Amino acid sequence: MSHPHPELTTPPALPDNGLRVVALGGLGEVGRNMAVLETKGRLLVIDCGVLFPEDHHPGVDLILPDFSYIRDRLDDIEAIVLTHGHEDHIGAVPYLLKLKGDIPIIGSTLTLALVEAKLKEHRIRPYSMAVREGQRERLGVFDLEFVAVNHSIPDALAVFVRTEAGTLLHTGDFKMDQLPLDGRLTDLRAFARLGEEGVDLFLTDSTNADVPGFTTPELEIAPAIDKVFRHAERRIIVACFSSHVHRVQQVLDAAEKAGRKVAMVGRSMMRNMGIAAELGYLKVPDGILVDIKKLDDLRDDEVVLICTGSQGEPMAALSRMANREHRINVGPGDTVLLASSLIPGNENAVYRIINGLMRLGANVVHKGNAKVHVSGHASAGELLYCYNIVKPRNVLPVHGEWRHMYANAQLAIASGVPADNVVLAEDGVVVDLVDGQAAISGVVDCGYVYVDGSSVGGADEALLKDRRILRDEGFITCVVVLDAATGKIASGPEITARGFVENEEIFQQVIPKVERAVEEAVANGVRDDQQLQQVIRRAVGSWVGGKIRRRPMIIPVVLQA
């Protein structure tokens, strides 16, 4: 089993008989999924998603893949193939198309409808081609065949790529639910057929690889949802992903059975469910939907609200309800149903909301205390099943944190794939398939690109570090006015602090230290403002670190009068 090393360098030129795979996201993380395939000088992009920020990304709205690897080769891209419509697979498409708007987008009907609605907000009209399972399309040097897979959103596809250099099967996100709500099974017959043809490189979803057994069918959670509806005294508020059509369908069915009306809350939820209903993927019972503005006309025990915020997103509807910043005032007797799993890294934010809602008197039902969610990803048993059916020559685990990918790699080896043919790679690591053997050949730059308000790529790690210091440690400003002629202190030092529990009078203790430091520097011939600012920063920082045990941001200001 091969894996990346710190000494990796820029990869050599790809041989004519080679197929190169570079993941610009999705390896070592849950989100930002994007793989770039290359052969004979042409590129194919599979998925282009976003990663949602965590607590250590203050002020960041979204995290994008780093497009620098392909920025100068946009004309070489044959198409962007989208496996399904979740944000972590389609969310970055508008930002890539802003670089070149005529790159074709290929995906299923629902996937394209969701991405086109997103592109409309960015005023981009894409070139798109809808495909379905069993369809085969030739795109230059790439021959693509699409395979139905089951996931937590309808119309998901795996993609089989034939090239002169070899074949590649990318599962996308998938599971093997044998009782799917929409009747659309993962096509194991197609997987077996492709295995018979020969799969040189198998890219498999790793998200649940460390979970033993088989993922629970969606159908089995319906009784738990019905139970919530039977016992709820007042309003029911359901939080789930804005693209989880299957879960919303189950809630609509339960609401109809309980005689309740349903209101959608949140722009993305209303948009996505409107698209799903229009295309026939969501069956909405007649008369069940009501406008949120008309809820006052209904009794509390007649109401169901479906909203976003199941991952603790601070600006989502559920978070604002928990903080009493939303028009819906959650209170005693209300039931909040979190119908989703926890994305790694979001646990603290979610539990903070659960605590906030319970403090308001709500009954909170979640995966930890009831069977109200099942995963959309294949567990270890399903992955083993696929390895035995496909019998790939080489395996590259994708989509997951390192622990997930490592577990997936171990499954591949256990199923009989030679350890030397199982490649563990992280974002930016280059994997080449040459003469039937996959191996790591180098690494390319592949950092985080932050969307910060209207700025894309402007924020960097240094800026986020400053924000974290401001948030966690506070800041101190120190203003000193110098006589331009003599260099002596004419006014100050004047110190202002924010984010400290201590009385500001304590900072009077550092003023003599700053005065001495500035006077000594001026006596030694230092008159440059920036150098004097550094002198002040060191003096204040040394005192604050020793006296208050803090490391705030220190902003020295030197004025010449």
Side-chain angles (χ1 to χ4, degrees), residues 227-237 258 260 299-303 331-336 361-363 365:
K227 183 178 178 182
V228 170
F229 274 68
R230 283 198 309 272
H231 292 90
E233 299 171 10
R234 293 183 62 211
R235 294 172 299 186
I236 299 172
I237 300 165
R260 289 176 178 254
R299 298 195 316 269
D300 284 348
D301 60 359
E302 295 178 318
V303 171
D334 287 335
T335 298
V336 178
N363 172 36
V365 182

Side-chain angles (χ1 to χ4, degrees), residues 11 23 25 54 84 90 94 121 130 139 177 186 196-197 209-210 255 305 316 331 356 385 400 428-429 474 506 540:
E54 298 180 26
H84 64 281
I90 69 170
E121 295 180 1
L139 297 174
D177 192 334
T186 291
E196 291 292 329
E197 179 179 332
D210 59 349
L305 296 159
Y385 208 101
V429 171
I506 194 173
V540 175

Side-chain angles (χ1 to χ4, degrees), residues 2 47 59-60 94 113 139 172 192 204 393 403 427 460 509 526 551:
S2 58
D47 289 330
V60 173
L139 297 174
T204 47
R393 297 185 179 93
R403 59 195 171 95
D427 294 344
D460 57 14
Q509 298 175 22
V526 177
R551 299 180 62 188

Side-chain angles (χ1 to χ4, degrees), residues 103-140:
I103 301 173
I105 304 173
I106 297 174
S108 65
T109 300
L110 179 61
T111 303
L112 289 182
L114 294 174
V115 80
E116 284 168 359
K118 185 178 298 294
L119 290 168
K120 189 174 182 180
E121 295 180 1
H122 290 262
R123 299 179 181 177
I124 297 172
R125 298 186 64 180
Y127 293 83
S128 57
M129 179 173 71
V131 294
R132 55 178 295 111
E133 55 266 28
Q135 191 167 334
R136 191 165 169 176
E137 294 291 338
R138 182 89 188 187
L139 297 174

